[in-house]
DNA sequence: GCGACAG
DNA sequence: ATCTTGTCGC
């Protein structure tokens, strides 16, 4: 299933080249079950001063948002964080968590960018191409690109994130008074579908439930209410 | 050359 | 990402 991820060989140039090749396999057309039955959120955290990579996967009923399963995978960290090469550092653990789930989701929300990336292959896009699963990137900060139009401070408002003249994602105001989320298609999801799909899972927090829950357990912040 | 830079 | 107290605003 999950295609092989190169190990850190200290050759960033090779990894960038691989990203460009894989970016050619990304589909920007909706290719998920409609209506959605299940959805899952993925995020990564670190322990032991960074020596251990902790990936969390939370599977939810796409309609009632009830948690159906949640898993955590811990692997020794094998690569440093390098802007633009995040997927090579976090994908191995994410794949392990995905395999642990009792069922594969119809759609995956991954913490990080989809195609809003220098070579159009952020971690969410890489995750989608490698697993074949439809995916969307939900990031908290811009890696590349800029918003040219103002974003209304209204829940659900969104405006294009562009690089040059190409649209690579959206700035989405998931919550009033909060910085916007950076949403971009990962794989098998159309640019125009991304904002609504993410808002469908936003409740009273800035992050949509799938990602918010995965973030909580991946970062050990689930002790108090779990 | 200089600044920017997901998590 | 992670380390952390107080503080601002609804």
């Amino acid at each position: 299933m999950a295609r092989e991820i190169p190990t850190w060989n200290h050759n960033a140039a090779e990894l960038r080249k691989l990203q460009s090749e894989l970016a050619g396999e990304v589909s920007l057309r909706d290719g998920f079950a409609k209506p959605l039955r299940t959805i899952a959120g993925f995020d990564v955290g670190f322990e032991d001063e960074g020596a251990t990579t902790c990936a969390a996967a939370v599977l939810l009923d796409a309609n009632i948002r009830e948690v159906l399963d949640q898993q955590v995978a811990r692997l020794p960290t094998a690569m440093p964080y390098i802007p633009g090469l995040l997927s090579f550092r976090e994908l191995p653990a994410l794949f392990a968590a995905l395999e642990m789930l009792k069922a594969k989701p119809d759609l995956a929300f991954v913490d990080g960018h989809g195609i809003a990336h220098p070579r159009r292959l952020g971690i969410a896009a890489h995750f989608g191409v490698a697993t074949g699963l439809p995916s969307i990137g939900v990031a908290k900060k811009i890696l590349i690109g800029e918003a040219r139009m103002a974003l209304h401070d209204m829940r659900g408002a969104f405006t294009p994130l562009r690089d040059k003249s190409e649209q690579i994602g959206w700035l989405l105001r998931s919550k009033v008074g909060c910085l916007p989320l950076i949403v971009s298609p990962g794989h098998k999801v159309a640019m125009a579908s991304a904002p609504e799909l993410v808002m469908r899972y936003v409740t009273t927090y800035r992050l949509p439930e799938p990602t918010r829950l995965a973030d909580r357990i991946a970062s050990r912040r689930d002790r108090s209410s779990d």
Side-chain angles (χ1 to χ4, degrees):
Chain A
M1 345 218 83
R3 200 174 311 185
E4 204 169 308
I5 291 297
T7 50
W8 179 229
N9 55 2
H10 292 280
N11 191 337
E14 277 300 312
L15 299 183
R16 292 193 179 90
K17 177 183 172 186
L18 176 57
Q19 292 184 320
S20 296
E21 298 173 354
L22 291 176
E25 294 179 39
V26 169
S27 168
L28 292 183
R29 299 194 54 170
D30 289 338
F32 48 86
K34 283 178 268 193
L36 290 170
R37 293 177 293 263
T38 62
I39 185 168
F42 296 85
D43 188 32
V44 170
F46 296 87
E47 299 175 351
D48 312 323
E49 300 169 49
T52 301
T53 298
C54 184
V58 179
L59 183 70
L60 311 171
D61 176 299
N63 298 302
I64 62 178
R65 285 180 265 183
E66 169 189 30
V67 175
L68 302 175
D69 188 23
Q70 60 178 47
Q71 299 293 336
V72 174
R74 292 168 210 281
L75 272 69
T77 302
M79 207 192 113
Y81 165 68
I82 298 173
L85 298 180
L86 179 68
S87 63
F88 298 106
R89 170 174 162 86
E90 305 189 343
L91 239 31
L94 247 25
F95 288 159
L98 169 65
E99 291 304 316
M100 291 168 77
L101 286 179
K102 64 171 74 170
K104 301 296 176 254
D106 287 338
L107 173 64
F109 280 6
V110 182
D111 190 297
H113 295 290
I115 64 170
H117 174 279
R119 290 163 295 285
R120 309 296 181 259
L121 194 83
I123 188 169
H126 196 160
F127 178 96
V129 167
T131 63
L133 295 176
S135 64
I136 293 179
V138 179
K140 297 175 281 301
K141 293 188 292 190
I142 291 176
L143 204 210
I144 189 177
E146 59 187 68
R148 296 180 184 174
M149 298 188 285
L151 178 61
H152 295 186
D153 190 21
M154 227 183 90
R155 185 174 186 284
F158 50 90
T159 189
L161 169 69
R162 47 181 69 256
D163 180 25
K164 307 295 183 178
S165 58
E166 175 187 12
Q167 184 181 354
I168 57 178
W170 306 90
L171 259 69
L172 173 65
R173 184 136 268 147
S174 54
K175 180 176 181 176
V176 174
C178 286
L179 290 174
L181 247 32
I182 314 304
V183 174
S184 61
H187 186 44
K188 296 181 179 178
V189 172
M191 180 63 75
S193 306
E196 290 77 5
L197 285 169
V198 172
M199 280 310 294
R200 192 178 299 176
Y201 299 95
V202 171
T203 58
T204 62
Y205 302 90
R206 179 162 85 122
L207 296 177
E209 290 305 283
T211 290
R212 189 181 73 80
L213 296 175
D215 182 80
R216 283 184 32 154
I217 60 178
S219 300
R220 284 186 169 181
R221 267 181 280 88
D222 60 313
R223 293 302 198 222
S224 52
S225 60
D226 212 32

